[in-house]
């Protein structure tokens, strides 16, 4: 089939809506008679609720009701049902919602929340996950053993362990005995915010007939519908979820959030629509963020660089609720060193409750955490071996069709090629070439690289479906459940439809508003799975539609269906294209000159579910956790100012074996955006807490993110194309992998520049300067002497 659109750089289908300002987000939704909701949140990190007095708040004109957790005795969660709708008997962090004020105006609601009086009996809090693991630590979830949980997870009742994941491959102690060199280090990544432009928001209308309509800034409308039904005991068929444009997700809007609260409030206040939208401060203090991550990693190798063993322990500080983070801990554990061919691997990965802000998924889903610890370890191992870090990685990365992953899966022959990715980024930054020294003697240039991989962390039964409906004028309605919040998946799917049906891509329509009652099912829009899973479902739907078209056309043209092809808006006989019939004459049924008709409206249906995914063995972690691996590598050149500790990334390159670039423009946008996001996490981002668990920097004036001046002038995007046979046109997803290797790449470049190891993020000037003073005080003294001479020369 001639491909007109596959591989073509097209702007996203919804670009016009966004640049003209006509795109409608949940923040923009307003219904007649709509009430507004604001949250009363805890000022205590851990305490029993003795009494809630709302009498003064109810006196505010326009206030309709003040509701508490006792009005909503439900448990929520996608993997572990550990979340309450509002705090019922006790609060577990500063910011825990304890009451909801419902008012006719936002102003009235905001005024009233300050008048709700809550009496607490303080309990002992625990803020450090290592302290939380001790026997004498206060138990944050005493009923953990009673919570609903998915079968893949192992909470430990009577402790603060929300999940324990175990990985065992080979004999790790034997592997270390065989090693000539062993390095061991600790690593840390702080809590960070997803920083989406649109904060979480929801509009809900609970109707008197039991139907619930919800408009939500969520990634996965079908997950919201399913989890609401499961948690609240409501028939799924009674719940309709609408997903307008979403102003950023990055994993933070996956699963279930404020939708049950809004729906239940709507019912309580007389079946009126209600709206809840978070302020930026509430987004930082009351909504889930990315967890804190602690790691201990030990890695061993032969003198020639061949890896023999890797042992790791991960502690994820999951905050007060670990619902989604239990799966993050699982993914971090099974992805440890997955890009390397290591015969002996041992990892325990624990999600641990503390009295801090609850946590959830974030772009990369456990893989950035494991990559940070492992890639820094490999860099230090190379230094210990006095070996080129590139050579060490090239020697040990997995080989398609040959290597066995850490979970015991033999890589398929078309899995991708990390060697090509490494070689491409090394070439892009002139790896091995000595750079010209900066004029200022206190500045140093360094280069770093990293290699990594990512696959969807989804359950084996995560299915997708697609519907193709062809209209009278041969425009095509594509109905899929995949969310669209910037990643561009829908544009790529439209390109597939256009090529397969031989119609202009402008004729393919995908409705901007998702609705669970009008689009085909997909499990979730997470894990970089959309193009692969929904793409396969779309191809099946197209196959179904084309079969129907050819069956009708074969009767008209008097040839076998196999002798027909669909091209340029026509169905034509292969080899005799002048014998054809327009698609417009077929798609609603063909009518003969005498009025007899055959066929009927063409509606194609397709579905996809992974045939290979398995649960992982609870004792060893062995199994098949994902449907594909996207291998990637990153490299960068940095400048380090020894006097201030400031790190500036001068240039960067990333290469990904994406199988096939359906849309090169969208690939480049993802890679550049992902690098900048990774750079921001590496150099600036950190949620800071005081001694009582208060968030100290809950806004963008105190929580620093990368600005335009921090972006390197050169970010090379290098697609590597080794198609995977069971993927749509061979394509793998890259939405998450584009940021996960950036922090270790930058830290490795800093080590290369000044010989200082920094294993705790972020690499702020303060943290870098402290590391220099501790590890290389003589460097600072040298620079001071050179500075005097330099000033004299100037």
């Amino acid at each position: 089939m001639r491909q007109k659109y596959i591989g073509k750089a097209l702007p996203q289908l919804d670009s016009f809506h966004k640049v003209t300002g006509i795109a409608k987000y949940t923040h923009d939704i307003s219904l007649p008679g709509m009430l507004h909701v604001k949250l009363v949140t805890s000022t205590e990190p851990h305490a029993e609720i003795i009494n809630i007095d709302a009498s003064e708040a109810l006196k505010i004109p326009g206030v309709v009701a003040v509701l508490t957790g006792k009005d909503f005795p439900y448990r929520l969660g996608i993997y572990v049902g550990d979340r309450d709708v509002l705090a019922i008997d006790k609060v577990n962090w500063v910011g825990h919602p304890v009451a909801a004020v419902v008012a006719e105006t936002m102003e009235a609601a905001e005024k009233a929340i300050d008048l709700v009086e809550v009496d607490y009996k303080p309990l002992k809090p625990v803020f450090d996950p290592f302290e939380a693991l001790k026997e004498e630590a206060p138990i944050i979830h005493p009923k953990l053993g009673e919570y609903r949980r998915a079968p893949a997870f192992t909470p430990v009742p009577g402790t603060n362990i929300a999940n324990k994941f175990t990985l065992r491959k080979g004999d790790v102690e034997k592997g270390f005995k065989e090693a000539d060199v062993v390095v061991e280090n600790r690593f840390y990544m702080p809590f960070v915010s997803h920083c989406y432009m649109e904060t979480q928001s929801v509009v809900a209308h609970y109707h008197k007939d039991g139907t619930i309509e919800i408009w939500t800034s969520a990634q996965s409308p079908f997950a919201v519908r399913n989890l609401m039904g499961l948690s609240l005991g409501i028939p799924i068929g009674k719940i309709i979820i609408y997903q307008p444009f979403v102003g950023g997700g990055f994993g933070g809007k996956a699963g279930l959030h404020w939708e049950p609260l809004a729906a239940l409030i709507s019912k309580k206040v007389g079946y009126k629509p209600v709206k809840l939208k978070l302020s930026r401060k509430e987004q930082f203090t009351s909504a889930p963020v990315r967890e804190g991550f602690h790691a201990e990693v030990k890695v061993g190798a032969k003198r020639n660089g061949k890896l023999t063993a890797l042992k790791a322990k991960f502690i994820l500080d999951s905050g007060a609720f670990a619902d989604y983070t239990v799966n993050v801990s699982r993914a971090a554990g099974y992805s440890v060193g997955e890009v390397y061919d290591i015969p002996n691997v041992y990892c325990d990965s624990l999600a641990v409750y503390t009295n801090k802000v609850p946590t959830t998924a974030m772009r990369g889903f456990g893989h950035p955490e494991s990559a940070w610890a492992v890639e820094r370890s490999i860099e230090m191992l190379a230094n210990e071996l006095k070996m080129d870090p590139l050579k060490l990685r090239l020697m040990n990365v997995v080989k398609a069709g040959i290597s066995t992953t850490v979970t015991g899966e033999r890589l398929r022959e078309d899995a991708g090629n990390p060697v090509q990715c490494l070689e491409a980024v090394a070439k892009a930054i002139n790896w091995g070439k000595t750079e010209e020294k900066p004029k200022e003697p206190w500045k140093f240039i360094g280069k770093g690289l990293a290699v990594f991989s990512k696959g969807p962390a989804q359950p084996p039964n995560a299915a997708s479906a697609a519907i193709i409906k062809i209209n009278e004028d041969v425009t095509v309605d594509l109905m899929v459940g995949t969310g669209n919040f910037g990643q561009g998946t829908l544009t790529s799917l439209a390109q597939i439809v256009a090529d397969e049906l031989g119609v202009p891509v402008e004729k393919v329509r995908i409705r901007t508003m998702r609705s669970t009652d009008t689009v085909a099912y997909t499990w979730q829009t997470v894990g970089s799975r959309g193009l692969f899973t929904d793409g396969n479902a779309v191809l099946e739907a197209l196959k179904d539609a084309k079969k129907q078209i050819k069956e009708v056309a074969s009767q008209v043209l008097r040839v076998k269906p196999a002798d027909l092809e669909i091209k340029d808006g026509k169905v034509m006989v292969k080899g005799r294209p002048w014998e054809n019939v327009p698609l417009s004459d077929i798609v609603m049924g063909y009518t003969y000159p005498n009025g007899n008709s055959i066929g009927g409206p063409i509606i194609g249906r397709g579905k996809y579910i992974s045939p290979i995914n398995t649960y992982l063995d609870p004792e060893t972690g062995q199994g098949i956790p994902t449907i594909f691996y996207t291998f990637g590598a990153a490299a960068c050149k940095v400048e380090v100012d020894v006097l201030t500790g400031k790190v500036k990334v001068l240039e960067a390159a990333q290469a990904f074996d994406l199988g096939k670039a359906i849309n090169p423009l969208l690939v480049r946008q993802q890679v550049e955006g992902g690098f900048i996001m990774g750079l921001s996490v590496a150099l600036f981002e950190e949620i800071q807490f005081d001694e009582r668990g208060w968030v100290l920097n809950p806004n963008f004036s105190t929580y620093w993110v990368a600005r335009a001046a921090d972006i390197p002038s050169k970010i090379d995007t290098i697609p590597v194309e080794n198609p995977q046979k069971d993927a749509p046109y061979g394509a793998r997803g890259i939405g998450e992998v584009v940021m996960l290797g950036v922090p270790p790449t930058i830290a490795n470049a800093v080590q290369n520049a000044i010989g200082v190891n920094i294993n705790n993020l972020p690499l702020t000037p303060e943290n870098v300067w402290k590391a220099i003073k501790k590890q290389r005080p003589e460097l600072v003294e040298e620079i001071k002497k050179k500075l005097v001479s330099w000033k004299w020369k100037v």
Side-chain angles (χ1 to χ4, degrees):
M1 182 187 72
R2 180 174 62 86
Q3 294 175 6
K4 183 178 180 180
Y5 294 107
I6 300 298
K8 186 175 181 180
L10 297 179
Q12 293 199 34
L13 295 179
D14 59 9
S15 299
F16 177 81
H17 297 78
K18 292 178 178 177
V19 300
T20 59
I22 63 173
K24 182 170 284 191
Y25 297 81
T26 304
H27 272 239
D28 303 316
I29 302 294
S30 181
L31 302 179
M34 187 175 73
L35 302 175
H36 297 269
V37 179
K38 289 299 292 184
L39 302 172
V40 178
T41 58
S42 171
T43 56
E44 293 288 333
H46 198 200
E48 293 179 9
I49 300 173
I50 304 302
N51 183 56
I52 299 176
D53 182 359
S55 57
E56 292 301 312
L58 290 167
K59 294 177 183 178
I60 299 296
V63 172
V64 174
V66 178
L67 302 167
T68 70
K70 294 189 183 297
D71 294 301
F72 312 124
Y74 302 97
R75 308 298 307 185
L76 311 175
I78 182 170
Y79 296 118
V80 176
D82 61 358
R83 281 197 291 138
D84 46 37
V85 181
L86 293 171
I88 300 174
D89 299 315
K90 73 183 185 98
V91 294
N92 290 326
W93 84 95
V94 174
H96 194 163
V98 296
V101 173
V102 191
E104 295 171 354
T105 66
M106 181 65 74
E107 292 75 17
E110 288 177 337
K111 187 174 182 180
I113 59 173
D114 293 330
L115 300 177
V116 177
E117 296 289 337
V118 186
D119 294 329
Y120 298 103
K121 179 184 177 182
L123 301 171
K124 182 182 178 182
V126 58
F127 302 116
D128 185 318
F130 294 96
E131 293 296 318
L133 288 171
K134 294 180 179 179
E135 283 190 21
E136 64 272 20
I139 302 302
I140 297 171
H141 289 272
K143 298 182 179 180
L144 179 60
E146 302 174 18
Y147 293 165
R148 171 183 55 81
R149 66 178 177 87
F153 304 100
T154 310
V156 183
T159 75
N160 287 313
I161 300 174
N163 183 55
K164 181 179 180 181
F165 176 81
T166 301
L167 180 75
R168 303 288 187 268
K169 177 189 177 186
D171 184 339
V172 75
E173 294 308 321
K174 176 175 174 287
F176 282 120
K177 288 178 182 177
E178 295 173 350
D180 297 315
V181 176
V182 175
V183 297
E184 190 169 3
N185 285 277
R186 293 187 174 187
F187 305 89
Y188 173 68
M189 299 175 79
F191 282 69
V192 299
S193 171
H194 299 77
C195 296
Y196 17 72
M197 288 190 288
E198 181 198 23
T199 59
Q200 290 176 332
S201 59
V202 59
V203 174
H205 193 180
Y206 205 125
H207 296 278
K208 291 181 180 179
D209 67 355
T211 301
I212 304 172
E213 290 186 289
I214 293 179
W215 294 257
T216 179
S217 177
Q219 292 181 213
S220 309
F222 285 97
V224 173
R225 185 184 70 168
N226 180 55
L227 293 169
M228 276 194 62
L230 186 66
S231 302
L232 305 183
I234 298 170
I236 286 177
K238 285 287 189 180
I239 304 169
I240 302 172
I241 307 297
Y242 302 104
Q243 182 201 51
F245 281 87
V246 177
F250 310 115
K253 294 178 181 176
L256 190 68
H257 292 279
W258 307 101
E259 297 87 3
L261 174 60
L264 293 168
I265 289 175
S266 175
K267 184 179 182 181
K268 283 281 187 181
V269 297
Y271 300 97
K272 294 181 179 179
V274 301
K275 184 173 190 176
L276 168 62
K277 62 179 182 180
L278 300 189
S279 67
R280 184 61 62 183
K281 179 181 178 181
E282 288 170 328
Q283 189 68 63
F284 270 90
T285 58
S286 295
V289 298
R290 193 185 75 178
E291 88 292 336
F293 174 76
H294 301 262
E296 298 174 7
V297 177
K298 180 180 179 182
V299 61
K302 293 285 190 180
R303 181 61 60 187
N304 67 358
K306 190 63 179 175
L307 296 176
T308 62
L310 186 152
K311 185 175 184 178
K313 184 174 184 179
F314 297 156
I315 304 294
L316 282 72
D317 185 344
S318 305
F321 298 140
D323 165 32
Y324 228 116
T325 304
V326 297
N327 203 13
V328 177
S329 68
R330 173 179 173 269
Y334 77 64
S335 66
V336 60
E338 72 180 2
V339 75
Y340 292 109
D341 199 339
I342 311 174
N344 307 292
V345 182
Y346 180 112
C347 181
D348 286 335
S349 183
L350 281 67
V352 180
Y353 291 116
T354 62
N355 292 114
K356 295 207 283 273
V357 181
T359 61
T360 189
M362 187 174 176
R363 195 176 192 177
F365 205 93
H367 291 69
E369 291 88 335
S370 61
W372 167 245
V374 171
E375 283 303 288
R376 288 295 297 124
S377 296
I378 294 296
E379 193 74 12
M380 286 180 271
L381 179 63
N383 189 58
E384 190 71 22
L385 289 166
K386 295 180 172 50
M387 188 174 182
D388 181 349
L390 173 61
K391 181 180 177 182
L392 178 62
R393 289 177 170 88
L394 290 172
M395 177 187 296
N396 287 287
V397 291
V398 290
K399 308 295 189 300
I402 299 172
S403 299
T404 301
T405 68
V406 292
T407 64
E409 175 191 3
R410 185 170 176 177
L411 279 179
R412 54 186 297 151
E413 291 182 341
D414 56 357
N417 193 328
V419 168
Q420 287 179 271
C421 297
L422 273 167
E423 290 175 341
V425 296
K427 181 179 178 181
I429 67 161
N430 295 314
W431 182 266
K433 178 183 176 182
T434 303
E435 296 292 326
E436 184 178 339
K437 293 182 178 180
K439 294 180 180 178
E440 302 93 333
W442 57 89
K443 292 182 178 180
F444 293 80
I445 301 294
K447 295 178 182 178
L449 47 74
V451 63
F452 38 86
S453 62
K454 173 73 175 71
Q458 63 177 38
N461 63 345
S464 293
I467 297 170
I468 298 286
K469 183 167 67 74
I470 306 179
N471 304 310
E472 294 90 333
D473 60 351
V474 199
T475 55
V476 183
D477 285 318
L478 172 59
M479 289 171 271
V480 289
T482 294
N484 189 29
F485 29 92
Q487 71 274 39
T489 303
L490 297 182
T491 302
S492 296
L493 295 180
Q495 290 175 253
I496 291 173
V497 172
D499 264 357
E500 290 284 334
L501 290 179
V503 300
V505 73
E506 295 80 13
K507 283 197 168 190
V508 182
R509 179 178 179 269
I510 306 176
R511 192 165 177 247
T512 55
M513 173 81 79
R514 287 297 161 281
S515 173
T516 52
D517 62 340
T518 61
V519 299
Y521 174 86
T522 195
W523 172 68
Q524 285 207 70
T525 309
V526 296
S528 309
R529 67 185 291 274
L531 181 59
F532 189 98
T533 57
D534 289 56
N536 272 320
V538 168
L539 285 173
E540 286 296 309
L542 286 162
K543 182 179 178 181
D544 184 26
K546 289 194 291 184
K547 179 183 178 184
Q548 298 172 46
I549 292 169
K550 288 181 180 180
E551 284 175 350
V552 175
S554 69
Q555 298 178 56
V556 176
L557 296 170
R558 298 175 183 266
V559 296
K560 296 177 181 179
D563 293 331
L564 295 172
E565 62 180 339
I566 301 171
K567 185 177 177 182
D568 299 330
K570 300 174 183 178
V571 188
M572 55 187 68
V573 179
K574 294 176 182 177
R576 302 197 303 273
W578 52 86
E579 294 183 25
N580 64 71
V581 59
L583 269 176
S584 57
D585 289 353
I586 297 286
V587 294
M588 290 296 154
Y590 183 81
T591 302
Y592 288 101
N594 70 351
N596 290 159
S597 299
I598 57 174
I602 302 296
I603 300 175
R605 184 187 68 176
K607 59 187 178 181
Y608 177 82
I609 193 167
S610 170
I612 62 168
N613 276 57
T614 68
Y615 291 119
L616 301 183
D617 185 279
E619 295 182 1
T620 66
Q622 299 298 286
I624 302 176
T626 189
I627 46 180
F628 64 83
Y629 295 92
T630 301
F631 294 106
C636 70
K637 183 169 73 172
V638 304
E639 178 186 82
V640 184
D641 186 325
V642 172
L643 294 181
T644 66
K646 180 177 175 58
V647 176
K648 183 174 179 57
V649 179
L650 302 175
E651 60 181 71
Q654 292 208 87
F656 300 97
D657 194 336
L658 41 71
K660 171 67 177 178
I662 301 290
N663 186 321
L665 174 62
L666 300 186
V667 169
R668 182 166 60 83
Q669 290 173 343
Q670 282 288 322
V671 173
E672 291 179 355
F675 186 89
I676 294 166
M677 190 173 185
L679 177 149
S680 189
V681 168
L683 298 184
F684 305 110
E685 296 189 41
E686 178 181 14
I687 294 175
Q688 298 172 348
F689 300 91
D690 72 2
E691 66 280 359
R692 298 186 67 250
W694 286 79
V695 175
L696 294 171
N697 54 338
N699 53 63
F700 290 146
S701 62
T702 51
Y703 181 93
W704 196 259
V705 296
R707 268 65 168 178
D710 303 308
I711 301 172
S713 57
K714 177 186 177 186
I715 304 176
D716 282 343
T717 298
I718 308 169
V720 175
E721 296 188 325
N722 292 296
Q724 184 165 318
K725 291 182 176 63
D726 64 343
Y729 288 89
R732 308 179 190 90
I734 63 162
E736 295 173 296
V737 70
V738 291
M739 76 159 284
L740 69 88
V742 179
T745 300
I746 295 174
N748 291 343
V750 170
Q751 179 182 339
N752 176 256
I754 58 175
V756 172
N757 285 316
I758 305 174
N759 295 339
N760 296 345
L761 290 176
L763 304 176
T764 60
E766 179 183 7
N767 290 342
V768 173
W769 192 84
K770 285 181 177 178
I772 294 170
K773 288 285 286 184
K774 182 177 181 180
Q775 297 179 36
R776 294 200 61 193
E778 79 285 354
L779 181 59
V780 177
E781 294 305 315
E782 281 180 32
I783 295 303
K784 286 180 179 178
K785 293 176 183 177
K786 287 183 179 180
L787 185 58
V788 174
S789 173
W790 184 82
K791 281 185 175 180
W792 178 256
K793 289 178 182 177
V794 171

